[in-house]
Amino acid sequence: MTSKQVVQPTSPSSTAIAPPQAVAIKDSPAVERALNRSKIYLLFSWSLLYPEDEEFLDYLQCGEFVEDGRAALDGLRLALDGIGGDRASQKIALMKKQFDQIEKLVSAECVNWQIGDLQTEHRRVFTNVITLDCPPYETLFGNDHVFAQSHVMGDIAGFYKAFGVELSKDVHERLDHLSVELEFMHFLTYKESYSRCHDGIDKTEIVVDAQKKFIKNHIGRWVPLFCRMLAKKSDTGLFKLIADCMSEWMDFEVAFLGVTVQPYSEADYRPATFNAPEGQTYECGAQDKGNELSMLLSEVGAESFMDQQTKEKGGEKSEGPVGTA
């Protein structure tokens, strides 16, 4: 995923001349929380992509994957300030234990892997086509027909479009692939940290509200079920540990953001079908290679999240962090 917006890093000189209030905001717990959440989302996003080269394997084998995960969780715990209550704190503690398990697996097994071994493990779990045992695509969950798939795809595209992000040409995946959705949350949480330092309360509230809506309407609904399916399919190994850890992370995010989510159950996993006039039934999704996206989006359109802000004012109020540092 790439952004049309360029976030310029703060240089030492600009920090030196910044007003005291700006410096204080940059050091606030709210900024730390956003940055550490952003890191966790990025780790999960990267771990689910098919490894085209050795970059992720090197990151895993040298120990930085685990180190960065632990550091993000420690920073989040210290800056939590009671947000999410005991549930959020418990989830952080559980995730730290799971990163310990990942470290043990890397030391005992993954340290000797070549890139082909990681690719083989990825294919074992996800196969070379869209596996129906644990498909990492949102539109295969909770949709009874192809028109529901189109609606969900259009809504996802609307979120991306509203914040000026688009799929990178280097990522050969659909808009609803979990890695892409997690990277979008990585982008939103990083944007929150930047917004708290530079953009003010109003823009920060928009970014935080987008996080809540994307959790409530998208990843908070299907990812818990996907994690259970992934853990069952992988059974052991790296992706089993990633699934367990990511499941706890979704619980943390729901508690931290204070949103009410209606997650899918096993009974809601129904790859969409439609009936032809002759009564024949076709499965939609397993044969998909992403070429139908332009058709889906042209039919439904990418409704902009930003255009809904005015209409949704006064709607359901959720708890959790607000747009003040």
Side-chain angles (χ1 to χ4, degrees):
M1 178 173 291
T2 59
S3 173
K4 298 175 184 176
Q5 301 171 334
V6 179
V7 179
Q8 297 293 340
T10 303
S11 65
S13 59
S14 63
T15 302
I17 63 176
Q21 183 180 7
V23 175
I25 291 176
K26 293 174 186 178
D27 294 336
S28 71
V31 175
E32 289 297 317
R33 290 191 293 267
L35 286 173
N36 287 309
R37 289 172 59 224
S38 180
K39 187 64 175 182
I40 294 295
Y41 273 115
L42 184 61
L43 293 179
F44 286 138
S45 173
W46 200 4
S47 67
L48 294 174
L49 279 177
Y50 181 78
E52 299 282 356
D53 52 43
E54 297 183 354
E55 187 175 5
F56 177 73
L57 180 61
D58 291 343
Y59 184 53
L60 190 68
Q61 290 177 328
C62 73
E64 290 186 9
F65 179 88
V66 170
E67 290 177 7
D68 287 347
R70 283 174 175 160
L73 290 173
D74 286 337
L76 189 54
R77 177 181 56 81
L78 293 174
L80 202 54
D81 198 25
I83 297 177
D86 292 339
R87 181 181 174 189
S89 299
Q90 291 169 0
K91 295 303 176 182
I92 290 178
L94 288 172
M95 287 182 66
K96 289 193 66 176
K97 293 180 180 179
Q98 287 161 344
F99 271 101
D100 291 342
Q101 294 300 314
I102 293 175
E103 182 180 47
K104 291 179 180 179
L105 177 70
V106 171
S107 299
E109 182 177 340
C110 301
V111 69
N112 297 316
W113 279 3
Q114 303 296 320
I115 182 60
D117 298 310
L118 181 58
Q119 291 173 336
T120 298
E121 179 67 4
H122 194 282
R123 287 194 296 268
R124 179 184 75 84
V125 176
F126 296 106
T127 76
N128 289 324
V129 294
I130 299 179
T131 173
L132 297 182
D133 294 325
C134 55
Y137 298 96
E138 179 179 354
T139 53
L140 294 187
F141 290 79
N143 301 307
D144 290 327
H145 50 76
V146 290
F147 301 106
Q149 286 190 335
S150 300
H151 175 77
V152 172
M153 192 74 80
D155 193 58
I156 295 170
F159 273 94
Y160 297 168
K161 182 179 179 181
F163 288 91
V165 296
E166 58 187 12
L167 280 176
S168 168
K169 296 179 180 179
D170 296 329
V171 178
H172 308 293
E173 281 298 350
R174 294 174 5 178
L175 301 178
D176 64 328
H177 190 278
L178 180 53
S179 179
V180 178
E181 293 191 3
L182 293 174
E183 186 172 353
F184 178 62
M185 283 298 296
H186 155 68
F187 170 81
L188 286 182
T189 45
Y190 188 86
K191 186 174 180 64
E192 177 193 342
S193 70
Y194 180 88
S195 183
R196 289 183 182 278
C197 295
H198 302 283
D199 294 336
I201 294 175
D202 291 342
K203 290 186 177 181
T204 300
E205 286 180 342
I206 290 174
V207 177
V208 173
D209 192 42
Q211 296 173 28
K212 293 179 180 181
K213 284 182 168 62
F214 202 71
I215 290 282
K216 179 178 179 179
N217 298 328
H218 293 286
I219 61 174
R221 297 204 68 191
W222 74 280
V223 172
L225 174 57
F226 167 78
C227 288
R228 295 195 296 273
M229 296 171 70
L230 176 58
K232 181 178 180 180
K233 175 69 183 296
S234 55
D235 188 42
T236 60
L238 177 63
F239 291 107
K240 169 65 163 61
L241 297 177
I242 293 293
D244 292 340
C245 196
M246 188 162 52
S247 179
E248 301 295 351
W249 176 247
M250 292 312 305
D251 281 347
F252 169 85
E253 282 288 90
V254 169
F256 177 81
L257 292 173
V259 295
T260 301
V261 177
Q262 294 180 334
Y264 294 134
S265 67
E266 281 74 6
D268 294 313
Y269 176 57
R270 300 182 297 272
T273 61
F274 68 94
N275 292 323
E278 297 78 12
Q280 295 173 312
T281 300
Y282 300 87
E283 290 292 332
C284 297
Q287 78 285 2
D288 170 41
K289 297 181 180 179
N291 295 327
E292 83 295 353
L293 282 184
S294 58
M295 179 187 71
L296 296 180
L297 297 182
S298 65
E299 289 178 354
V300 180
E303 184 179 39
S304 173
F305 172 85
M306 304 292 280
D307 292 340
Q308 299 300 309
Q309 294 300 307
T310 301
K311 292 191 293 185
E312 294 180 359
K313 290 294 184 181
E316 177 184 350
K317 182 179 179 181
S318 59
E319 298 177 355
V322 295
T324 55

